[in-house]
């Protein structure tokens, strides 16, 4: 949906509208940000964070990760957690932002070209001092659908080892890349690289335009697969 003219107003507060959410509703940037924060809180709660939990936010050099850091900071007070940011990539890009927010920060120099590879790098480099952390991934709606269609549903299940071993939260699961780009404008260098490399990207973009509910159903199916694998590993006979 494109906004035209100067008379577009935010559907929530009446201010000049500059953004459009996933339902096509015109919003101002503040109301869009508040809407995203509400979804982030709901999706973190789906992972059942515990009092005094250790939350490890795994990030990479993309717009979703920048937004995830800012959003976790914005909703931190809703949870009694200690936050550690783990950046994985070829160079540190979020250290300054994380430092300004006073989160603990670790950088790991490692390569990956798929969502599966990124998850395996996270699993390999989780700080050993945390016995049962809540792992938070920066994947937006499109990331999760692309991961499901392009990897998991094709039998590439190794990345779900992370979900089997730890509690994993997906705070951006109900937030689109377009919404993130509107609420958190960033440099071109922070483009969603893994998504652009995904073999399922064109299918995801078609689904978003023709049937957004299909994307939400795909995410839920992915989470069901992860839950089934976790249950199988939990009750597997030694």
């Amino acid at each position: 949906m494109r906004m035209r003219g100067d008379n577009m107003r935010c559907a929530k507060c009446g201010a000049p509208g500059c953004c459009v959410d996933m339902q096509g509703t015109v919003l101002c940037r503040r109301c869009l940000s508040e809407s995203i924060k509400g979804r982030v809180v709901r999706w973190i709660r789906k992972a059942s964070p515990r009092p005094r939990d250790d939350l490890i936010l795994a990030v990479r050099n993309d717009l979703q990760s920048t937004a995830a850091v800012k959003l976790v900071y914005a909703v931190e007070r809703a949870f009694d957690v200690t936050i550690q940011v783990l950046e994985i990539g070829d160079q540190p890009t979020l250290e300054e932002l994380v430092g300004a927010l006073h989160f603990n920060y670790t950088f790991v120099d490692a390569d990956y070209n798929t969502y599966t590879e990124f998850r395996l790098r996270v699993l390999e480099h989780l700080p050993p001092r945390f016995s049962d952390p809540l792992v938070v991934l920066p994947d937006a709606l499109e990331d999760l659908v692309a991961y499901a269609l392009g990897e998991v549903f094709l039998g590439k299940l190794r990345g779900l080892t992370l979900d089997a071993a730890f509690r994993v939260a997906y705070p951006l699961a109900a937030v689109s890349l377009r919404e993130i780009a509107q609420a958190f404008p960033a440099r071109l260098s922070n483009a969603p690289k893994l998504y652009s490399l995904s073999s399922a990207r064109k299918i995801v973009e078609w689904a978003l335009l023709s049937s957004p509910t299909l994307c939400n159903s795909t995410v839920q199916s992915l989470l069901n697969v992860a839950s089934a694998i976790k249950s199988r590993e939990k009750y597997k006979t030694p």
Side-chain angles (χ1 to χ4, degrees), residues 128-150:
R129 64 182 180 277
F130 300 120
S131 60
D132 185 24
L134 174 60
V135 180
V136 177
L137 296 184
D139 296 328
L141 174 65
E142 291 92 332
D143 291 306
L144 292 173
V145 177
Y147 174 50
L149 297 180

Side-chain angles (χ1 to χ4, degrees), residues 10-22:
C10 174
K12 290 190 175 182
C13 71
C18 62
C19 308
V20 181
D21 69 7
M22 288 180 59

Side-chain angles (χ1 to χ4, degrees), residues 153 216-226:
F153 294 173
N216 295 326
S217 298
T218 302
V219 170
Q220 189 56 56
S221 296
L222 171 65
L223 298 182
N224 290 343
V225 172

